[in-house]
Amino acid sequence: MDYQEGAYKVKDLSLADAGRRKIEWAESRMPVLLRLRDEFRDQKPFEGYKITGCLHVTKETAVLIETFRECGAEVSWSGCNPLSTNDEVAAALAKNGIEIYAWYGQSVEEFYWSIERTIDKPPHLTLDDGADLIFTVHKDHPEMADHIVGGSEETTTGVHRLRAMADDGKLLYPVFAVNDAETKWDFDNVYGTGQSTLDGILRATSVLIAGKNFVVAGYGHCGRGVAMRAKGMGANVIVTEVKATAALKATLEGFRVMAMDEAAEVGDIFVTATGMKDVIRGDHFVRMRDGAIVSNTGHYDVELNLQELAELSSDTRIVRDDCREYTLENGKRIFVLADGRLVNLAAAEGHPSEVMDMSFANQFMAHLNLVRMHKDGESLEPRIIDMPPELDQEIAGIKLETMGLSIDTLTSEQEAYATDYSAGT
Ligand code: RBV
């Protein structure tokens, strides 16, 4: 398709004012990112660079996009999940002249069509959440890699895949592993996922969490956050795992650990947070209690095998927004939320602005670093680059400051003591 500056495809441009109010709300809770915007607005470090992003179109992402733009970048964007775009926010961005192709309820074809449109004019920088954009470049437009300075990846699953790609020597340009920054995964993945997943389940069902058997599949950072919040609301939390150390940690945190075969029979609410496919499948669905609620909060919609569920069912219907009832041939009913797509973004608004503030400050800095290295003529080998740990302290420091909290500083004697190997008892 011919490239047109500022082109867009969104649900309805008349939603723009409502979207603008949402973006302003997020801005009021994202002081770290706004500070970066203020710091770099006049210098325009991104002037002459096009950033293409593929990340959930939410009010928080809008703050990131507009920050890049105000700091000089040309931006094009698509959502990274067919069910996560906020149509009001997308309209506000389009109205503000951002090149954007995103609407809620895209088909898979429309999803990839949107990615293609964002790279009709090749970018210098790519920003991914789940690696669909970077995979599209590698698979269908490898020649574009010569033009691309570097990229970044937001989420665990994406970084995992990209590391595998780099190990195989297939990665064509350098990518910052934003997910692996301490100020990302120790906050966004734990507290962000924890709260927003419960939020999604509540909006889709409005059930009482207290007293329910709440099964969390996967006890990584995301699963831990979900388990913690479900416990806080009075659920009996059960954890399923494939990794012994993770299962042990869950046990010592006071959660019951069992295999999914067993959990399937007792769970009232299920959430998968593993990054693996077929975590809940046909032989689990048939064992479930009547009325069981099943959802996923992992990046891809592969964790629940809904095809097997459909094959076991005699009937299915939508009973509420984001809640589909399956009636099994054994007469039991199972309720699947958001068609197995990440429930926190599909049925709620994703992570709260306060945590995305730090995740997106990391995204901003990753791209600023890529541009700086490029301008300095540093050779940028294709590899996965870790975020500098000093940056975590800087971001966390600003966050604390904006929360009005102060911390101590080591005295010079204490600093010397920290590395004094002659000191003992
Ligand atoms: N995520 N973004 C939001 N409100 O914009 N919420 C969640 C938002 C990101 C989060 O960083 C996680 O790594 C990723 O979505 C999973 O796709």
Side-chain angles (χ1 to χ4, degrees):
M1 215 168 93
D2 287 340
Y3 170 72
Q4 247 187 309
E5 204 179 324
Y8 62 83
K9 186 165 162 58
V10 297
K11 177 86 111 223
D12 179 358
L13 205 60
S14 74
L15 301 172
D17 290 348
R20 182 51 54 191
R21 287 192 292 275
K22 287 205 159 83
I23 297 170
E24 286 168 4
W25 175 262
E27 278 174 350
S28 73
R29 273 129 224 289
M30 300 179 81
V32 182
L33 191 55
L34 286 205
R35 189 177 296 193
L36 292 172
R37 184 189 282 188
D38 279 348
E39 193 178 333
F40 293 101
R41 185 190 275 125
D42 295 338
Q43 297 174 26
K44 304 248 175 303
F46 293 104
E47 196 99 68
Y49 288 84
K50 176 178 177 180
I51 303 180
T52 293
C54 179
L55 193 151
H56 309 293
V57 178
T58 63
K59 56 192 186 305
E60 292 76 23
T61 303
V63 180
L64 176 66
I65 292 173
E66 295 189 338
T67 300
F68 279 133
R69 228 253 306 245
E70 288 199 32
C71 295
E74 182 186 344
V75 185
S76 65
W77 214 267
S78 71
C80 68
N81 187 290
L83 292 188
S84 68
T85 293
N86 181 298
D87 287 322
E88 295 172 345
V89 168
L93 288 168
K95 194 170 171 194
N96 193 21
I98 302 289
E99 191 192 335
I100 177 162
Y101 309 89
W103 60 96
Y104 181 90
Q106 290 190 322
S107 65
V108 173
E109 293 71 36
E110 289 167 334
F111 176 82
Y112 284 106
W113 177 89
S114 298
I115 291 182
E116 287 291 342
R117 293 297 69 74
T118 61
I119 53 176
D120 276 334
K121 177 179 175 187
H124 302 94
L125 300 155
T126 62
L127 189 157
D128 263 287
D129 178 341
D132 285 314
L133 166 62
I134 194 168
F135 288 161
T136 301
V137 169
H138 278 67
K139 195 156 72 65
D140 302 328
H141 309 279
E143 73 294 342
M144 216 180 266
D146 293 340
H147 187 265
I148 297 176
V149 173
S152 67
E153 170 54 54
E154 168 81 3
T155 206
T156 315
T157 314
V159 169
H160 204 76
R161 292 280 152 87
L162 290 168
R163 284 197 193 281
M165 205 167 162
D167 289 347
D168 269 358
K170 297 281 161 51
L171 190 67
L172 298 175
Y173 56 86
V175 181
F176 269 104
V178 168
N179 177 74
D180 297 1
E182 191 181 355
T183 42
K184 200 283 183 181
W185 83 337
D186 251 4
F187 297 88
D188 169 315
N189 301 24
V190 182
Y191 307 98
T193 310
Q195 180 169 319
S196 61
T197 302
L198 267 298
D199 188 8
I201 293 169
L202 287 172
R203 291 195 205 193
T205 64
S206 99
V207 295
L208 181 72
I209 303 288
K212 293 286 192 301
N213 287 336
F214 194 108
V215 181
V216 181
Y219 197 70
H221 281 68
C222 297
R224 180 156 67 82
V226 175
M228 196 162 78
R229 290 298 175 249
K231 179 182 179 180
M233 292 185 78
N236 304 306
V237 177
I238 295 167
V239 169
T240 71
E241 251 300 342
V242 291
K243 193 174 172 189
T245 47
L248 200 53
K249 285 178 192 168
T251 312
L252 268 59
E253 204 49 58
F255 302 125
R256 275 191 293 164
V257 168
M258 55 182 84
M260 186 57 84
D261 277 351
E262 202 185 332
E265 291 177 2
V266 296
D268 299 303
I269 301 173
F270 295 80
V271 181
T272 52
T274 67
M276 182 44 66
K277 68 174 190 171
D278 297 338
V279 177
I280 301 183
R281 44 188 185 264
D283 46 333
H284 299 130
F285 286 120
V286 288
R287 291 165 193 233
M288 285 184 186
R289 289 179 171 180
D290 182 35
I293 292 166
V294 185
S295 63
N296 163 54
T297 199
H299 183 80
Y300 297 119
D301 65 335
V302 296
E303 307 207 12
L304 313 178
N305 191 327
L306 297 182
Q307 199 180 329
E308 289 184 6
L309 177 59
E311 283 159 15
L312 290 164
S313 302
S314 54
D315 198 14
T316 171
R317 61 178 182 144
I318 305 277
V319 289
R320 300 167 51 92
D321 283 351
D322 296 307
C323 183
R324 177 181 283 282
E325 176 189 70
Y326 288 84
T327 305
L328 268 58
E329 270 149 14
N330 65 16
K332 291 190 220 170
R333 291 160 307 163
I334 290 174
F335 298 94
V336 174
L337 309 187
D339 290 331
R341 295 206 180 264
L342 65 195
V343 69
N344 58 338
L345 277 136
E349 293 175 58
H351 301 356
S353 309
E354 291 88 340
V355 276
M356 295 317 293
D357 189 22
M358 293 197 287
S359 309
F360 288 165
N362 277 291
Q363 284 288 4
F364 183 89
M365 291 308 297
H367 285 269
L368 189 64
N369 281 343
L370 285 166
V371 166
R372 280 178 174 159
M373 292 192 265
H374 185 241
K375 287 181 181 165
D376 290 348
E378 257 181 65
S379 83
L380 295 166
E381 295 304 314
R383 64 188 171 97
I384 304 298
I385 316 176
D386 287 321
M387 298 293 290
E390 319 81 71
L391 185 63
D392 281 318
Q393 297 312 317
E394 214 177 298
I395 290 176
I398 305 176
K399 191 73 180 173
L400 284 169
E401 194 188 313
T402 62
M403 293 165 87
L405 303 173
S406 16
I407 57 173
D408 292 322
T409 323
L410 292 180
T411 62
S412 46
E413 289 81 9
Q414 285 175 315
E415 268 184 28
Y417 177 79
T419 50
D420 179 4
Y421 48 82
S422 68
T425 314

